[in-house]
Every structure is written in structure tokens, then in C-alpha cells.
Amino acid sequence: MARPTSLIAIAIPVLAGIAYLWMMAAPLAYSAINAAALGLAAALVFTVPALQTSKARRILAVVLIALLFVPLLFGPHVNGIARWLPLGPFALHAGALFLPSIVVLAARDEDFAPPILLAALLAASLQPDAATGLAVMLAAVGLYNARGDWRLVPVAGIAFFASLIAGLRGELPAQPFVERVLVSLAFDQPLAALGLALALLASFFLMAHGIRAEKAVRHSLAGCLFGFSLAAVVSNYPSILIGYGAAPILGFGLAIGLAAAGARRTTGLEEN
């Protein structure tokens, strides 16, 4: 039952977001794409294999971090900003697609968690992408809360200042149904905005306490979600899981699949 329970953590906000897109008469393709992404995310949750060795986890972490740098090399570039991976007619937000899994892998690597997070932060700073920077910061905070590793304190501090700088360098106009969803909806449909906020809050608590994974994984992944969501409130960044966009749905699906597949069945697993 570990994986079905874990899937609920992303299904709640995504389904709430699809209802929002329908209610606000967004293009039908938006709802269809999010629904298809949720189906693919469910497949990832159920099929991602466990990585049994630290070597395998580190190799995957290096690959995912390298993919964060791909937009810098191949674009598209918009006003000097490169955050997206082109995939046919789609442009996927690289940070939302890869960072959640990087966070899970960092949480399972006590020796190299700080450099893994700092490498992801470097990519976010170069893009620049304050949302990914905030997600790194709060993932480090969650991981510190679970593990107490003092090295994560400077990681969180560096990520905070890097996010401020990235926010000043790289803000684009908000896209309807994609970015600042909660803020824009609160003026016209406050109850609907409250419903979406509660769906995100439910996802946060399920990631922090409901996923069958170690405390370090759960708390860092919940911090990652909170960081992305906070960025969408304070600036023009994607409202992940509730707004239009396949990348965060697939990204958290892969991350939750990795978390559930590699969970260690120990007495410490159930700590909150």
C-alpha cells in the first residue's frame, strides 16, 4: 500500500488544479495535458525501481544535475533566461522536472547531500530561477530538521541569497493559468483560491508525514514543494501541481516513486 498512498500526495492538488482550469474556462488542452501528466506520474510512482547502492544513486544524481544545465546550452532563451527543456511543442520547466528527485537522492546520501544541493543551486542561479533556488533552500531546511547536519545550514543560507539575486535578475510576465494562480484567483474567486491552497497544504503534509519513506526524504521533499509554491506566491513563477504545467507533475511523480521504492523498512521510518 506504500505507493498508492504516496500517489495521493500529488493527485489531490493536480485534480484540484484540473477542476480550477475547467471552472475558469482555460483551454481544454491544459486540463487534458495535466490529466495525462498525472497518468504518467502514477505510472512512475508504481514502476520506478529501487536503487540499491549508493553508487547507483550518485550516478543518477549526477545525471539529473547535468540535465538542469541543459537549458543553458540549448535554450530556449527568453530575455537572457533559460529554464526550459524543449520537448516538441512543449517547454518543460527543468527545475520542477528534476529537482524533486535530486532532493530525494540528496536526502539518502549523508556524505554528499550538501554538494548535491549546491550543484543544483548553481544551475538555478545561472538560469536564473529563483523558484528552484527557494526549493533548494527549503529542501535543505527540511533535511536539516530531519538529520541535524550542520553543513545544511550554510546551504540554506547560500540558497536564500542566491534566490534573491535570481529573483532580481530573472522575472518574466506571469502567464495565465500557469503562474501566480493563487494570487490572481484570490481577487476574483477567494473560496476557489482557498480550496487550491488547502489542496497544496494537504500535499505538503502528506509528503512530510504520509509517504512511506525515511524522515529525511519526506521532510526534504515537502520543503521542496513549499519552496516552489512560495515562489509562485511572491513572484511570477509556475504554481506547481495546481496550475497548468506537466513538468512538476512528472517531477514529483518520479521523486515519490524513488522515495517509495527505496524506503528502508526500519523503526526510524515512522518517525514524524
Side-chain angles (χ1 to χ4, degrees):
M1 294 296 294
R3 297 200 189 209
T5 303
S6 300
L7 177 61
I8 295 173
I10 56 173
I12 290 174
V14 173
L15 292 175
I18 290 172
Y20 148 74
L21 292 171
W22 177 82
M23 179 186 72
M24 299 301 293
L28 291 177
Y30 288 10
S31 297
I33 289 170
N34 277 19
L38 180 59
L40 291 173
L44 290 170
V45 169
F46 284 101
T47 60
V48 171
L51 300 177
Q52 301 293 347
T53 66
S54 59
K55 180 179 180 180
R57 290 190 291 271
R58 288 170 182 170
I59 289 173
L60 180 57
V62 169
V63 170
L64 294 176
I65 290 169
L67 289 172
L68 283 179
F69 287 90
V70 169
L72 294 167
L73 300 175
F74 301 106
H77 293 78
V78 180
N79 294 336
I81 299 170
R83 303 171 184 154
W84 308 274
L85 287 173
L87 186 63
F90 305 105
L92 301 179
H93 186 267
L97 184 60
F98 299 125
L99 183 66
S101 294
I102 292 171
V103 165
V104 171
L105 295 167
R108 288 200 168 122
D109 196 327
E110 294 188 17
D111 293 330
F112 288 96
I116 288 172
L117 294 177
L118 286 173
L121 178 64
L122 176 61
S125 300
L126 293 174
Q127 290 177 354
D129 185 350
T132 300
L134 283 175
V136 170
M137 180 188 79
L138 290 179
V141 170
L143 190 52
Y144 174 79
N145 178 65
R147 187 175 290 160
D149 184 348
W150 68 267
R151 297 175 301 163
L152 295 165
V153 176
V155 171
I158 293 169
F160 173 72
F161 287 107
S163 299
L164 290 180
I165 295 170
L168 294 174
R169 291 175 53 219
E171 184 173 75
L172 297 171
Q175 300 300 309
F177 307 112
V178 178
E179 296 162 337
R180 305 208 78 181
V181 166
L182 289 177
V183 175
S184 60
L185 189 61
F187 291 103
D188 299 323
Q189 301 282 347
L191 290 179
L194 177 61
L196 287 180
L198 289 174
L200 275 176
L201 188 62
S203 180
F204 172 81
F205 278 105
L206 284 170
M207 288 188 191
H209 302 292
I211 295 175
R212 181 72 177 177
E214 307 93 313
K215 182 179 179 180
V217 171
R218 290 184 278 112
H219 284 206
S220 58
L221 192 57
C224 179
L225 172 67
F226 193 88
F228 278 121
S229 300
L230 177 62
V233 172
V234 301
S235 190
N236 297 338
Y237 284 94
S239 297
I240 65 167
L241 302 182
I242 58 172
Y244 168 58
I249 302 173
L250 295 173
F252 276 92
L254 176 59
I256 289 175
L258 286 170
R264 294 193 292 266
R265 273 34 177 196
T266 66
T267 55
L269 188 65
E270 301 303 329
E271 296 177 0
N272 292 317

